[in-house]
Amino acid sequence: MTHSTRRDFLKTAGCLTIGFSLFHPYGEAMAAAAQELPGSLRRYPDINAWLQVLEDGRVRVLTGKIELGQGLRTAVAQVAAEELELGMEQVSVTLAETGVTPNEGYTAGSMSIETSAMAIRHAAAAARQQLLALAAEKLQAPAARLEFAGGRVSMPGGRRSLTFAEILDGRELSGTIRLPLPLKAKQDYTLSGRSIPRQDTRQIVAGAPVYVHDLRFPGMLHARVVRPPAYQAKLLGYNEQAVRAKAPDLVRIVVNGSFLGVIAPGEYAAIQAQEALAENARWSDAPPLAGGDALPAYLATLPVRTEKVREKGQPISGGASLQATYFKPYIMHGATGPSCAVALYDKDQLHVWTHSQGVYPLQGALAEMLELPAERIHVKGVPGSGCYGHNGADDVAAEAALFAMALPGRHVRLQWSRQDEHGWEPYGSAMLMDTAAVLDAGGRITHWQYELRSDTHSTRPGGKAGNLLPARYLEKPFRELQGGYNAGAYRNAEPYYDIPNQHLTAHFFEGPLRVSALRSLGAYANIFAIESFMDELAEKAGKDPYDFRLMHLEDKRAIAVLQKLRDITPAKAPHPGSGIGIAFARYKNSAAYCATAAQVRVDDKGGRVEKMWAAIDAGEAINPGGIINQTEGGMVQAASWTLMEQVRFDAKHVTSNNWYTYPMLQFGQAPATEVAVIQRPEERALGAGEAVQGPAAAAIANAVYHACGIRVRELPILPGKLKQR
């Protein structure tokens, strides 16, 4: 695999479009025309920003998003093929790459379908219009009478036809996408709305080279980083002679301030050199980490910055009908494959292959850290092995870049170890949630009060070096950026129920561990607390858990997912010692609707989830099978978080540095799953990738209560918490 500029990329592809500037200064008229365009088209309203028509009639789709296992590559191919009347085999997809694809920021927030896929749908519709118009000229026939299918445009009856290449005849397919734009009628869809299998699944199952971890280049070297014993420890020195005596194949020791690492000809040789250097390096002491022994109590003592998020109606006065406190610990991404990147610095150009979720923001952060112009940094997105959120992908890419610049002309591959991944990735923040509510005589909620404590929920680089891990250890260190995306802490903190009086307050602290975005951000903890509390309120009001929620809902689509869940879920648990719990939320209160149920069995060994159900409404489902896959995976992941996962640490550093000290559900422990997708083709497509996390947690906790009568409000639900039965 070699790097290509956009110009070279288009040449070798045999593309009949021209290049475009990703930084084109559109004027006021252009901005006005783009105001109603969907998603990323508002910034890139040119057809050839999204599509390339190749000489053989196939179409290449360009998306600024990255494949995370959510099936994006297949979904965007579906919408393009649909509008252009092509078969799936006639569409290929190029993922995020600087200078080649549009800058769509991060692949995050379950927004890829809403932004990138809808942009591609409109670009394909505009391309169809242009191809029809050009064909009408050549065939001397009205465009409305022409037939469009399989990469050809034909006269009625097939008397004459032209391929896309013949239509274009060397001219470019370009121009501005403007509204109104005729899209294909949804009742005529043949691809969108179908569960087309992911095109990369067969390769993954067969162990084919799919991931960034699989990249190999001629003469490639391997690197490893030597970590300090604590976040703030500084390098005092090392004994190079002793290291070389133990690692004779060592190519180079790379040191820049407190950033320390090795380069060797092979991966095992790099590990040997890393171990030798770690034994012969000296570090300063660092301030101790606090809170490892009693985290909820410690977090409650931290100074906070307070934000009033929601103030509707009157606060609670005269006492609440019920109040409770809930807790979620630090949890990690725990990617199956540790973070990995490859970098090459050659002829004053830096090339980086990475599974970062934002190639353009990473490009900007690298430019600042390395003091290089952004145009001299090429970043290509390559899928990684498993992660929804900001794990170590950006950090390992930055470290690989440092190694490559220390040894120009050679590809350098850096893969983190399991200890690197577990011990140094940014975690999902621990959170405390205090809830209180008042019920009237009829069992309706009249007042709701909610206060949460949390660290930030995203410290992605965002074009700045300060949030890249190695940048903090350089000789000229970059200060960690403060604040981050605080609003992520109160994602879904406002209940999606009709409650006349609501007061929501967020308190932000700076906790002891490094944190950032993890799947669903604060929604997981907030929905766990809200929906657990709704179950407690239902019991206090003497109501059925379904009926209690339904009596507080006005949104018909929300009501429909709960009713659908009730239809597919057993009315009661099948055997003694088991229970069924439910939960509902609309992700971000603006994206997909999801209702979830869990069947849990509790015995003297603890609790285990036997089966989970979900009903989900994501509007127009481009690929229902993809939604089912994401929802099933989300339920299993949330079950693991809820039952087992928590990051532990002592006064020096994180101690959960392997799968024994940070256990998660194994294959044999995963529950059976069943998902019902409510297809609404008349509605806009909604993000679905993170919708199930919070409801799944609450459904499990509620099921535990119904199984054994123990209400667990502090996650995870470890076996010891169920021994009171």
Side-chain angles (χ1 to χ4, degrees):
M1 185 177 294
T2 57
H3 163 64
S4 63
T5 63
R6 180 176 173 83
R7 183 182 298 276
D8 292 336
F9 185 88
L10 300 184
K11 280 182 182 178
T12 58
C15 178
L16 297 177
T17 64
I18 60 169
F20 70 101
S21 170
L22 291 171
F23 307 100
H24 182 69
Y26 296 103
E28 290 182 4
M30 181 71 73
Q35 280 180 356
E36 297 181 7
L37 290 171
S40 303
L41 273 182
R42 295 168 190 170
R43 287 182 294 158
Y44 302 106
D46 287 340
I47 298 174
N48 62 356
W50 304 96
L51 297 173
Q52 300 168 355
V53 176
L54 309 182
E55 290 178 340
D56 60 3
R58 292 182 303 114
V59 170
R60 176 175 283 118
V61 173
L62 305 174
T63 173
K65 302 294 186 177
I66 191 75
E67 176 64 68
L68 304 174
Q70 78 277 42
L72 171 72
R73 193 193 294 267
T74 301
V76 298
Q78 279 180 260
V79 298
E82 189 72 77
E83 291 294 335
L84 291 169
E85 302 288 354
L86 297 170
M88 289 290 289
E89 73 283 356
Q90 294 177 287
V91 178
S92 63
V93 178
T94 294
L95 301 173
E97 182 174 356
T98 58
V100 174
T101 64
N103 178 0
E104 294 195 83
Y106 286 106
T107 304
S110 299
M111 293 295 293
S112 295
I113 295 298
E114 293 186 52
T115 56
S116 195
M118 293 303 102
I120 289 165
R121 171 178 282 175
H122 282 69
R128 175 190 173 107
Q129 276 192 306
Q130 191 168 137
L131 286 166
L132 278 172
L134 292 172
E137 291 180 17
K138 284 183 172 287
L139 296 173
Q140 296 184 341
R145 296 187 58 210
L146 299 180
E147 298 172 353
F148 196 101
R152 304 183 73 89
V153 180
S154 307
M155 294 185 68
R159 287 177 289 133
R160 287 185 60 197
S161 68
L162 297 171
T163 66
F164 286 174
E166 290 169 332
I167 293 169
L168 291 168
D169 194 22
R171 288 178 289 184
E172 65 220 29
L173 179 61
S174 62
T176 301
I177 302 166
R178 299 183 185 277
L179 297 177
L181 181 66
L183 300 174
K184 185 175 181 179
K186 293 184 178 181
Q187 64 266 26
D188 296 331
Y189 281 173
T190 59
L191 293 172
S192 288
R194 285 179 51 198
S195 297
I196 295 176
R198 281 175 50 185
Q199 298 168 327
D200 57 352
T201 302
R202 185 179 297 273
Q203 294 173 290
I204 293 170
V205 172
V210 172
Y211 298 125
V212 64
H213 308 72
D214 302 319
L215 290 176
R216 296 295 185 270
F217 296 89
M220 185 174 73
L221 299 172
H222 294 258
R224 279 290 194 274
V225 177
V226 175
R227 304 288 174 191
Y231 281 141
Q232 298 184 45
K234 304 296 182 185
L235 180 64
L236 300 177
Y238 61 93
N239 186 335
E240 182 170 353
Q241 184 176 359
V243 174
R244 291 193 175 275
K246 289 189 174 184
D249 292 332
L250 175 65
V251 173
R252 179 166 300 181
I253 293 176
V254 176
V255 60
N256 184 336
S258 292
F259 175 77
L260 182 64
V262 296
I263 301 175
E267 189 166 10
Y268 182 58
I271 294 171
Q272 289 180 307
Q274 177 196 40
E275 291 174 350
L277 184 53
E279 293 172 0
N280 289 278
R282 295 178 292 109
W283 301 88
S284 70
D285 293 330
L289 298 177
D293 295 330
L295 188 57
Y298 173 70
L299 296 182
T301 68
L302 291 177
V304 296
R305 180 182 62 80
T306 296
E307 181 178 340
K308 296 287 186 181
V309 179
R310 173 75 160 158
E311 291 187 292
K312 174 187 174 184
Q314 299 299 315
I316 293 176
S317 61
S321 301
L322 190 66
Q323 53 190 5
T325 297
Y326 301 87
F327 169 72
K328 172 223 155 192
Y330 291 101
I331 53 178
M332 64 174 65
H333 299 83
T336 305
S339 297
C340 182
V342 179
L344 167 69
Y345 185 65
D346 189 41
K347 299 177 182 178
D348 295 326
Q349 188 81 15
L350 175 66
H351 310 286
V352 179
W353 291 262
T354 173
H355 55 115
S356 168
Q357 292 180 213
V359 295
Y360 281 97
L362 177 59
Q363 180 191 49
L366 291 175
E368 183 178 55
M369 184 183 81
L370 302 171
E371 298 182 340
L372 284 177
E375 58 268 21
R376 285 175 52 194
I377 302 175
H378 163 251
V379 183
K380 179 176 176 58
V382 185
S385 180
C387 172
Y388 276 84
H390 175 203
N391 69 342
D394 293 295
D395 300 324
V396 75
E399 291 169 345
L402 288 167
F403 283 119
M405 293 193 70
L407 198 63
R410 302 286 295 274
H411 289 86
V412 180
R413 177 181 183 272
L414 172 61
Q415 179 170 318
W416 278 11
S417 66
R418 177 55 55 195
Q419 289 71 33
D420 287 329
E421 189 75 29
H422 275 35
W424 291 89
E425 69 153 79
Y427 311 107
S429 177
M431 294 177 65
L432 282 169
M433 294 77 64
D434 292 317
T435 59
V438 176
L439 296 171
D440 66 15
R444 293 189 65 91
I445 305 170
T446 61
H447 294 73
W448 182 279
Q449 184 171 300
Y450 189 88
E451 296 197 26
L452 67 91
R453 287 175 174 261
S454 177
D455 207 326
T456 185
H457 279 261
S458 182
T459 55
R460 295 183 186 273
K464 297 293 184 181
N467 284 342
L468 293 173
L469 180 64
R472 305 174 195 176
Y473 295 96
L474 301 179
E475 184 176 355
K476 295 180 179 179
F478 289 83
R479 186 184 299 274
E480 180 181 359
L481 304 179
Q482 299 299 312
Y485 182 53
N486 286 329
Y490 51 81
R491 178 170 290 179
N492 277 103
E494 182 180 346
Y496 199 71
Y497 294 106
D498 179 26
I499 303 172
N501 301 285
Q502 296 185 41
H503 287 255
L504 167 59
T505 306
H507 305 285
F508 300 102
F509 58 74
E510 291 183 20
L513 301 185
R514 184 186 183 207
V515 295
S516 193
L518 178 59
R519 192 176 190 179
S520 80
L521 306 188
Y524 169 72
N526 288 322
I527 298 170
F528 159 67
I530 290 170
E531 288 297 297
S532 294
F533 197 54
M534 285 293 289
D535 228 54
E536 296 192 53
L537 287 169
E539 182 177 51
K540 189 169 187 65
K543 304 288 186 181
D544 172 84
Y546 282 103
D547 293 339
F548 185 72
R549 288 169 172 84
L550 290 168
M551 66 189 282
H552 290 91
L553 284 170
E554 295 182 339
D555 188 329
K556 293 181 180 179
R557 293 171 69 178
I559 292 169
V561 295
L562 270 167
Q563 291 175 332
K564 185 65 176 180
L565 182 71
R566 187 178 237 172
D567 291 341
I568 64 174
T569 305
K572 61 180 182 178
H575 41 67
S578 64
I580 293 177
I582 68 165
F584 159 79
R586 184 180 185 189
Y587 183 52
K588 296 190 286 191
N589 286 0
S590 61
Y593 301 78
C594 187
T596 310
Q599 179 179 304
V600 171
R601 186 164 189 168
V602 179
D603 54 28
D604 56 1
K605 296 180 181 179
R608 62 185 180 276
V609 183
E610 296 178 315
K611 185 168 182 179
M612 299 186 74
W613 298 262
I616 185 166
D617 171 0
E620 179 194 353
I622 304 299
N623 189 317
I627 293 175
I628 291 171
N629 291 341
Q630 291 187 72
T631 306
E632 288 177 334
M635 286 194 286
V636 174
Q637 183 183 47
S640 184
W641 288 353
T642 304
L643 295 177
M644 307 178 74
E645 297 185 39
Q646 60 181 326
V647 177
R648 298 185 182 275
F649 58 99
D650 59 20
K652 291 189 69 174
H653 197 59
V654 171
T655 57
S656 300
N657 57 12
N658 54 46
W659 294 125
Y660 296 102
T661 51
Y662 189 85
M664 60 173 55
L665 281 185
Q666 299 177 14
F667 284 112
Q669 298 170 304
T673 57
E674 182 179 336
V675 178
V677 176
I678 298 177
Q679 172 68 283
R680 295 190 183 276
E682 75 284 359
E683 300 286 351
R684 67 184 180 92
L686 300 172
E690 299 166 296
V692 78
Q693 303 301 116
I700 292 169
N702 292 335
V704 166
Y705 176 76
H706 295 303
C708 68
I710 297 174
R711 176 62 67 180
V712 180
R713 299 190 182 104
E714 289 193 5
L715 299 179
I717 307 176
L718 298 173
K721 297 178 181 178
L722 305 179
K723 296 297 185 182
Q724 308 163 31
R725 57 192 300 269

